[in-house]
Amino acid sequence: MTAAANAAITIHSGYLPGAIGSITEMHAKYYARTAGFGQYFESKVAAGLAEFAARLDRPCNGLWLALHEGEIAGSIAIDGEDLGKGQAHLRWFITSDRIRGSGMGRKLLSAALHFCDTQEFAETRLWTFSGLDAARTLYEQEGFQLVRQYTDSQWGKEMTEQEFIRLRLHSDT
């Protein structure tokens, strides 16, 4: 992606019309191609996103969208409610094929983690599965540590699931 094209990508904080459909579509297409997921996965993503979007008016929840030429081309969310106990849940982190490799994933992750630190969540958790090496590298560079790995079929197919945790960065000021 050229510098000019990369400059045309912006981050929007909050919901935009079409976000649930766009985020679901990016997940469905990417994971069908790379992991063999199907309708079950897509339905689960859509249902979870719809439930979460209804709670975006609460200050502990956040959504960031990468916009490329006015279209949603990436997302990340922080759900500050579903885990309870001062824990943030990082969810729906993805970029479309057209902006993958542009550095926008790193910018989305940075925005979400800045939100977590500002909200003073004690920790941020995420669940993923093995084989997503580029995402894992980003997570680890931002202080996430793999704390558990297990086999599960929650997405309609047996996968090696992974749980990562990042403890809040404390300021000395």
Side-chain angles (χ1 to χ4, degrees):
M1 180 167 273
T2 68
N6 195 16
I9 304 169
T10 59
I11 295 179
H12 173 84
S13 177
Y15 178 82
L16 287 174
I20 295 168
S22 294
I23 295 166
T24 300
E25 181 179 18
M26 283 185 286
H27 277 78
K29 288 182 175 180
Y30 180 79
Y31 290 107
R33 185 176 70 242
T34 62
F37 291 170
Q39 176 272 318
Y40 179 82
F41 172 79
E42 183 174 351
S43 294
K44 198 165 179 176
V45 169
L49 267 167
E51 186 275 330
F52 172 74
R55 299 186 282 112
L56 273 171
D57 60 335
R58 299 177 191 156
C60 61
N61 299 318
L63 175 67
W64 295 266
L65 303 169
L67 302 178
H68 180 247
E69 299 177 355
E71 299 293 323
I72 296 171
S75 69
I76 195 166
I78 296 295
D79 189 332
E81 294 180 87
D82 70 331
L83 299 178
K85 304 175 199 157
Q87 299 176 90
H89 185 182
L90 190 151
R91 307 180 80 179
W92 302 296
F93 180 35
I94 194 162
T95 58
S96 70
D97 291 341
R98 62 189 159 149
I99 69 164
R100 194 165 292 118
S102 69
M104 191 50 60
R106 182 177 305 280
K107 290 177 183 175
L108 285 167
L109 182 58
S110 179
L113 295 177
H114 176 74
F115 174 81
C116 290
D117 293 339
T118 300
Q119 292 290 317
E120 298 185 351
F121 287 109
E123 62 189 38
T124 304
R125 292 180 177 259
L126 68 89
W127 284 262
T128 187
F129 50 88
S130 65
L132 302 175
D133 299 333
R136 181 177 178 163
T137 297
L138 284 177
Y139 299 143
E140 290 175 339
Q141 288 172 347
E142 290 292 342
F144 282 91
Q145 295 182 349
L146 178 65
V147 294
R148 190 164 68 118
Q149 194 162 264
Y150 53 96
T151 302
D152 196 2
S153 56
Q154 70 166 323
W155 301 110
K157 179 180 174 184
E158 191 170 279
M159 303 293 292
T160 301
E161 302 279 338
Q162 298 176 320
E163 179 181 358
F164 287 83
I165 296 177
R166 175 188 176 265
L167 300 178
R168 181 169 61 96
L169 301 177
H170 296 280
S171 169
D172 292 339
T173 58

